[in-house]
Structures are given as C-alpha cells and as structure tokens.
C-alpha cells in the first residue's frame, strides 16, 4: 500500500526514517483504523495505537458495534497485539458527554438537527486526542477517515477522498490548518473500501470482515427521540401540529419526534395532499407542516465558519463555490458572501429542500476536490 508518494524521505512527509517517526493512530476498533495501524507498523513506523472510551454501556445508550464501545476497544487492542505495537485506552467519557452528547440533546430540544460526529472530530478526536499525541512526542496522528491531505503551495490542503462513495469530508470540514499540519489520512487515496478490506485480509487482521458501524455511535438504531428522552426526561412536551396557513391539524407528543422535511409519521392522516414538516417552533411547541414547495431554500445563513482557503475569507465580497448541506447529497453550485471572518450567507443557484438549522454547510472547490472549510446553518 503506497501512502503519500510526493513526500521527500518517508511516506508521511518527514525527513527521517520510518523507525524514527512516531505515529499515534486513532483506533476505533473498526477495519479502517486497524488497517492504517497495521500498514504503518509494517512499513517500520513507530506506531502507538490509542482508543478512546467515549461512554459506558448503560448511561449513554451504547450499543454493540458502536464506535468506541466495549467490543471495539477489545478489537483495537487485539489488532495491536497481533501486529506488535503498543496500545492505550483513554477514558474520555466526561469530555465526550460535555462536548458532544449534551450539545446534541440541547440542539435537538431547540428544534435543530445536530451532527454530533462533526463535533466529536472537532472537540474530541482532533483536539484532546491530538494534544495527547503531542504529549506522546508523536510526529503526527493518523486516522482511518476517507479524506485526503495534500501539500499545496501554501501548506497542507484538505481534499475529498478518491472514493466518492466513502468520502467523509462533510464530517471533517472543521479541521483547522494547525490540525491539518499534524494529521495524516492514509486511506484517502484508495479507490474503494474493497481495497481496505483486502489489506485487512493480507495482514490477517481479526477485524477484516467486521461490518461498518452505522448511525450515530450513541444513538441505537437511529432513534434520536429515545436518546433525548433518556438524557432529558422532561423533553417530550405535547403541542399542536399546525398548517403553514394557520389551521390546527392535530396534536403531537413532543417536537423531538420531528425533523425538517419529514413526511411520514406525522399523525395527521386523512388529508388529500402530502404535507411535510417545514418548521419547528420550540417556543410555541408547534410542528408547522405544509406543501413540499415550502421546503425549498435558496439563501442559507452560516456561522462558526472554519475557513481553509489560501487567502482570508473576507478578502473577497463573494466566492463562487459548491456546497453540501447534507452529507448524503452532492455539492451544489453556490455563492458564498462573507459577513465576518466566521459568518456568511450562502446563495444556492438552485433551491435545496429540507435545509435545517444545526446541519453543516461545507464548502468545496467547484469542479475540483479541495475543501475550503464550512460552517453551521442557523436561523438568521
């Protein structure tokens, strides 16, 4: 497996031998990070595996097969033993709860649709774990994310993965330039996940056939409402389902059971035309529904922007880029108009349906692979 081929002496870009290059590998217990650790160890690097224990099995609704739950910690440790490098487990439960889980619950209660995986990368893996890697005197930290780090004329750049079906750029837009200098993503250039599994088989890893994790790690079966009710027992307050024209159509058992763009399970059967959730009014405890055309959004307010361009965001009045407002949708052409260094408005060339506060808006080079950062969608 060739890693970065455009670096001077070793494949990770350091002017010394692999044996003199210490790499902390963030190991989730899955096949991707296990392959990264095994390959780097095979290439002679001084590998140190680190796994974060992010929650216990009961308090945060952990589930079998979820990232950094008990079984995965066991799997990561086993891979380290198989390949002969040290492995440590760090208890980050309190950090994860404060930085990720609590905000997830509070955002959901505020009518937003949060993306906790982004906050986990931003506030835990690429912040506290990265600092731990520095404390271990590592030269860099490697992860199993499908994204590419390339060195441009002005330093490290973030680029989409070669395999667009596996690309994780939407979840990594908040990676700062300083973090990018220290991070490495050895799987980003692979053409498919099949290549990763082939490498796992080649190295005889016990996780070679392990299924990919699904859903948010602390949300069993994608049931957000059940998690919120456990974390915030008084969250499910009843209220009205109201048509956008003001008509009261029914009652609901809590706004936490609804998301922007939802059509099914509204509890208002018997109507001739399909209706969608178009807005959530937390203060009035109302779920506002209406026809599909009310979901169309052209102008999106963005805040907490992390900018990865070569020149300052505010050095131009507008940027012609492409954006993603959901991880599963392709980038759309747009104009980014900065307001400050961290706030802007995005104007989509074609309206997007179901844009929701709490989701990320990620900026891409139009027609290219580079990521220029992104920010968080809010009400304005």
């Amino acid at each position: 497996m060739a890693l970065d081929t455009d670096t001077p002496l070793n494949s990770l870009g350091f002017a010394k031998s692999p044996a003199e290059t210490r790499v902390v590998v963030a190991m989730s217990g899955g096949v991707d990070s296990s392959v990264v650790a095994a390959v780097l160890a095979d290439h002679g690097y001084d590998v140190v595996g680190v796994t974060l224990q992010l929650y216990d099995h009961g308090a945060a609704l952990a589930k079998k097969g979820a990232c950094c739950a008990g079984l995965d910690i066991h799997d990561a440790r086993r891979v380290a033993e198989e390949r002969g490098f040290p492995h440590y487990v760090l208890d980050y439960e309190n950090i994860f709860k404060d930085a990720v889980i609590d905000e997830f619950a509070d955002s959901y209660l505020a009518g937003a649709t949060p993306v906790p995986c982004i906050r986990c990368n931003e506030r835990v893996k690429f912040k506290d774990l990265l600092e731990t890697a520095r404390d271990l005197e590592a030269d860099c930290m490697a992860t199993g994310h499908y994204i590419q780090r390339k060195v441009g004329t002005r330093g490290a750049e973030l680029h989409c993965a070669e395999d667009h079906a596996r690309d994780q750029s939407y979840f990594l837009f908040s990676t700062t330039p300083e973090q990018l200098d220290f991070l490495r993503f050895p799987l980003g250039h692979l053409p498919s996940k099949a290549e990763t599994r082939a490498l796992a088989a080649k190295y005889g890893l016990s996780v070679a056939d392990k299924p990919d994790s699904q859903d948010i790690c602390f949300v069993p079966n994608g049931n957000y409402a059940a998690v919120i009710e456990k974390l915030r027992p008084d969250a499910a307050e009843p209220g009205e389902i109201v048509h956008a024209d003001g008509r009261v159509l029914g009652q609901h058992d809590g706004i936490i059971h609804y998301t922007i763009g939802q059509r099914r399970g509204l509890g208002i059967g018997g109507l001739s035309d399909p209706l969608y959730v178009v807005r959530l009014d937390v203060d009035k405890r109302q779920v506002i529904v209406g026809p599909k055309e009310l979901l169309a959004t052209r102008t999106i307010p963005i805040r907490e922007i992390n900018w990865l361009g070569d020149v300052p965001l505010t050095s131009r009045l507008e940027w012609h880029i492409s954006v993603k407002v959901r991880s599963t949708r392709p980038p759309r052409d747009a104009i980014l108009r900065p307001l400050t260094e961290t706030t802007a408005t995005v104007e989509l060339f074609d309206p997007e349906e179901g844009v929701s506060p709490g989701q990320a808006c990620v900026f891409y080079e139009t027609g290219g692979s580079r990521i220029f950062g992104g920010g968080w969608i809010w009400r304005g």
Side-chain angles (χ1 to χ4, degrees):
M1 171 183 177
L3 300 178
D4 299 321
T5 58
D6 56 349
T7 49
L9 289 184
N10 71 40
S11 62
L12 295 180
F14 297 99
K16 52 186 175 181
S17 69
E20 298 173 305
T21 306
R22 175 165 293 176
V23 186
V24 164
V25 179
M27 299 183 68
S28 68
V31 64
D32 298 322
S33 56
S34 296
V35 164
V36 168
V39 170
L40 292 175
D42 184 59
H43 287 190
Y45 286 96
D46 179 12
V47 171
V48 178
V50 175
T51 301
L52 303 182
Q53 180 175 325
L54 298 180
Y55 47 80
D56 63 41
H57 288 284
L61 297 177
K63 60 177 181 175
K64 182 178 179 180
C67 169
C68 304
L71 175 63
D72 296 284
I73 292 172
H74 168 77
D75 288 342
R77 180 182 292 115
R78 184 176 176 184
V79 168
E81 291 173 352
E82 291 169 350
R83 303 310 303 175
F85 57 83
H87 175 261
Y88 301 98
V89 178
L90 305 181
D91 183 352
Y92 273 36
E93 286 188 27
N94 290 336
I95 293 172
F96 186 69
K97 182 179 184 300
D98 293 343
V100 180
I101 294 180
D102 283 344
E103 186 191 78
F104 169 83
D106 293 339
S107 296
Y108 225 88
L109 290 176
T113 308
V115 191
C117 297
I118 297 176
R119 290 303 197 191
C120 182
N121 289 325
E122 174 188 337
R123 296 177 175 178
V124 180
K125 294 177 182 175
F126 290 176
K127 181 178 179 289
D128 294 285
L129 177 56
L130 192 144
E131 288 305 312
T132 297
R134 294 187 190 278
D135 291 342
L136 291 171
E137 299 182 343
D139 294 283
C140 64
M141 186 173 87
T143 79
H145 289 107
Y146 286 87
I147 196 166
Q148 296 189 79
R149 174 191 183 274
K150 298 183 179 181
V151 180
T153 57
R154 302 198 180 190
E157 300 173 354
L158 204 59
H159 288 255
C160 295
E162 185 68 25
D163 180 4
H164 288 257
R166 305 294 304 183
D167 178 64
Q168 293 176 290
S169 58
Y170 184 85
F171 301 98
L172 296 169
F173 80 85
S174 60
T175 306
T176 67
E178 295 75 21
Q179 292 167 343
L180 196 53
D181 284 340
F182 194 70
L183 290 164
R184 299 295 187 272
F185 309 107
L187 301 183
H189 73 290
L190 295 181
S192 71
K193 180 63 176 273
E195 298 279 341
T196 305
R197 292 201 179 276
L199 285 165
K202 171 186 173 182
Y203 288 103
L205 301 184
S206 53
V207 296
D209 297 321
K210 186 175 182 177
D212 292 340
S213 59
Q214 302 293 327
D215 302 318
I216 296 170
C217 65
F218 59 90
V219 181
N221 305 314
N223 191 343
Y224 298 167
V227 174
I228 301 303
E229 287 179 315
K230 179 156 186 168
L231 295 170
R232 303 287 189 272
D234 58 348
E237 297 185 21
E240 296 175 330
I241 301 174
V242 182
H243 195 283
D245 63 13
R247 289 176 292 150
V248 176
L249 302 179
Q251 302 292 315
H252 65 75
D253 294 326
I255 285 179
I256 61 173
H257 297 284
Y258 298 85
T259 57
I260 303 297
Q262 179 179 337
R263 176 185 174 187
R264 299 183 184 279
L266 300 184
I268 49 173
L271 300 173
S272 57
D273 297 323
L275 295 176
Y276 300 79
V277 176
V278 298
R279 189 162 58 87
L280 299 172
D281 190 324
V282 176
D283 293 333
K284 295 181 180 179
R285 300 202 303 274
Q286 289 182 336
V287 175
I288 294 88
V289 298
K292 190 175 184 179
E293 54 263 27
L294 292 184
L295 286 171
T297 301
R298 186 183 293 274
T299 302
I300 307 172
I302 310 295
R303 62 182 176 183
E304 294 183 60
I305 291 175
N306 178 57
W307 180 246
L308 296 174
D310 292 331
V311 296
L313 175 64
T314 53
S315 64
R316 297 184 191 175
L317 294 177
E318 58 183 42
W319 298 79
H320 288 253
I321 58 172
S322 296
V323 301
K324 270 190 182 185
V325 294
R326 286 190 179 181
S327 62
T328 55
R329 296 184 180 178
R332 289 174 172 260
D333 290 341
I335 298 175
L336 172 67
R337 294 188 175 94
L339 301 174
T340 68
E341 292 289 350
T342 58
T343 62
T345 57
V346 167
E347 181 183 349
L348 301 173
F349 286 14
D350 297 310
E352 177 81 47
E353 295 177 350
V355 175
S356 175
Q359 295 280 296
C361 180
V362 182
F363 312 147
Y364 296 84
E365 173 188 16
T366 299
S369 64
R370 188 173 177 185
I371 298 115
F372 288 123
W376 295 92
I377 300 169
W378 66 302
R379 289 181 177 83

